[in-house]
C-alpha cells in the first residue's frame, strides 16, 4: 500500500528503479571489472541500456510528482533528486571502467609501435617479432572498430527505445485526460439525477395534495347532500 500522500503509481516507479539500480551497481562494481573481451562489451552495453531505462523511470516519477498535492510533492522531491544522483554516480563509474579499457588498449598499441621501431633494423631473427607486433596492432585496430560499431548500435537502440517510451508516456497522459473528462461528465450526470429525484418528490407531494383535496371535497359534498 502507498504511504500517506504518495500515489501507487509513484511507488511502483520507485520499486522498478530500486530493482534496476541494484542490477546496475552489480554490473559496475562486480561483473564488468571481472569480465573481459566480448563478455565485458556485452555487460557494458546492458549497463548502458539499464541506465537509460533508469533515466526514463525518473522522468516518469517527475511527471507523476507534478500531479500530487504540494505536501506529498515536497516530501518526494528530495527522494527523486537522490535517485538522479545515484544514476549520475553509476554513469561516472561506468565511464571510468570503459576509459580504463581504452587506455589499456592504446598502451598496448603504443608498445607494439615501439617494438616495430626497435626491430626495423634488426636481423632476420627479429622479423618474426615484427610480424607479431603488426598482427597485435591490427587486432587492436579491429577491436577499436568493433567497439565503435557496438557503440553506434547501442546508441540507435537507445534512441528507438526512448522514442517508444515517450510515445507510451504521451498515450498514458492522454488516457488520464480522458478519464478526468469522463469523471467531470459523471459528476454532472449525478447532479442531473439529483435534480430529477427532487422534481419527482415534488410531483408526488403535489399529486398527494390534489388527491387529498378531492377526497376532502367529496366528503363535504356527501355531508351536505346526505346528512342535511
Amino acid at each position: 500500500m502507498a504511504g500517506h500522500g504518495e500515489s501507487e503509481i509513484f511507488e511502483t516507479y520507485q520499486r522498478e528503479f530500486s530493482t534496476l539500480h541494484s542490477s546496475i551497481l552489480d554490473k559496475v562494481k562486480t561483473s564488468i571489472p571481472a569480465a573481459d573481451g566480448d563478455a565485458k562489451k556485452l555487460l557494458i552495453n546492458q549497463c548502458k541500456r539499464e541506465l537509460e531505462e533508469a533515466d526514463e523511470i525518473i522522468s516518469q516519477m517527475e511527471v507523476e510528482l507534478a500531479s500530487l498535492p504540494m505536501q506529498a510533492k515536497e516530501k518526494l522531491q528530495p527522494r527523486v533528486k537522490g535517485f538522479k544522483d545515484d544514476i549520475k554516480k553509476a554513469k561516472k563509474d561506468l565511464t571510468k571502467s570503459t576509459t580504463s579499457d581504452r587506455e589499456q588498449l592504446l598502451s598496448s598499441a603504443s608498445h607494439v609501435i615501439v617494438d616495430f621501431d626497435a626491430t626495423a633494423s634488426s636481423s632476420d631473427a627479429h622479423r618474426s617479432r615484427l610480424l607479431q607486433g603488426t598482427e597485435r596492432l591490427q587486432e587492436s585496430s579491429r577491436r577499436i572498430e568493433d567497439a565503435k560499431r557496438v557503440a553506434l548500435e547501442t546508441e540507435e537502440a537507445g534512441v528507438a527505445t526512448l522514442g517508444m517510451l515517450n510515445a507510451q508516456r504521451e498515450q498514458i497522459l492522454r488516457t488520464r485526460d480522458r478519464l478526468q473528462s469522463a469523471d467531470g461528465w459523471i459528476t454532472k450526470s449525478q447532479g442531473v439525477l439529483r435534480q430529477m429525484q427532487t422534481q419527482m418528490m415534488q410531483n408526488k407531494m403535489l399529486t398527494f395534495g390534489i388527491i387529498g383535496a378531492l377526497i376532502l371535497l367529496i366528503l363535504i359534498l356527501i355531508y351536505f347532500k346526505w346528512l342535511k
Side-chain angles (χ1 to χ4, degrees):
M1 295 293 292
H4 180 68
E6 298 182 22
S7 72
E8 293 183 359
I9 296 176
F10 187 90
E11 190 175 67
T12 300
Y13 290 150
Q14 185 172 290
R15 287 196 297 269
E16 292 177 356
F17 177 85
S18 178
T19 301
L20 201 57
H21 186 233
S22 298
S23 176
I24 292 169
L25 289 181
D26 179 67
K27 287 182 177 64
V28 171
K29 296 182 179 297
T30 304
S31 301
I32 293 176
D36 56 8
D38 292 338
K40 191 166 190 173
K41 293 179 184 177
L42 179 61
L43 288 170
I44 290 173
N45 290 335
Q46 290 176 350
C47 189
K48 288 180 179 179
R49 286 194 293 271
E50 288 178 347
L51 286 169
E52 291 173 355
E53 292 178 14
D55 283 334
E56 182 61 26
I57 290 175
I58 290 174
S59 298
Q60 292 173 349
M61 284 183 182
E62 291 177 332
V63 172
E64 179 63 21
L65 201 62
S67 66
L68 295 179
M70 183 59 65
Q71 183 178 0
K73 188 182 300 183
E74 292 176 352
K75 175 183 176 183
L76 296 176
Q77 278 177 340
R79 195 179 304 177
V80 174
K81 184 179 182 299
F83 294 157
K84 288 183 177 180
D85 293 339
D86 291 340
I87 293 304
K88 287 180 181 178
K89 185 178 184 304
K91 287 179 178 179
K92 289 181 180 179
D93 292 341
L94 180 62
T95 300
K96 289 179 181 178
S97 176
T98 54
T99 301
S100 177
D101 289 343
R102 287 196 297 270
E103 289 175 351
Q104 183 178 2
L105 188 60
L106 292 174
S107 176
S108 175
S110 177
H111 287 305
V112 171
I113 294 172
V114 171
D115 291 341
F116 178 82
D117 292 336
T119 58
S121 59
S122 300
S123 62
D124 294 340
H126 294 161
R127 289 180 182 175
S128 60
R129 294 176 57 190
L130 177 61
L131 291 174
Q132 291 175 357
T134 303
E135 290 175 356
R136 289 172 60 190
L137 181 59
Q138 291 176 347
E139 179 64 23
S140 298
S141 298
R142 283 195 295 270
R143 291 178 61 186
I144 292 174
E145 291 299 325
D146 290 341
K148 289 181 179 178
R149 178 177 53 79
V150 171
L152 289 174
E153 291 176 354
T154 302
E155 182 180 0
E156 291 174 356
V159 171
T161 301
L162 286 176
M164 181 180 65
L165 291 174
N166 285 330
Q168 291 177 351
R169 182 172 63 182
E170 291 175 359
Q171 184 178 4
I172 291 173
L173 292 175
R174 288 196 297 270
T175 302
R176 185 174 66 181
D177 292 340
R178 285 197 293 268
L179 289 174
Q180 290 176 347
S181 177
D183 183 63
W185 282 108
I186 291 173
T187 301
K188 291 180 180 179
S189 299
Q190 289 176 344
V192 173
L193 288 174
R194 284 194 294 268
Q195 291 177 356
M196 292 176 64
Q197 290 176 347
T198 302
Q199 188 70 33
M200 289 175 64
M201 290 297 298
Q202 292 175 351
N203 291 339
K204 285 183 179 179
M205 293 177 64
L206 180 60
T207 301
F208 290 151
I210 293 173
I211 293 173
L214 289 174
I215 292 174
L216 180 61
L217 180 60
I218 292 171
L219 291 175
I220 291 173
L221 291 175
I222 292 173
Y223 174 79
F224 281 102
K225 184 175 181 180
W226 299 102
L227 297 181
K228 285 191 177 181

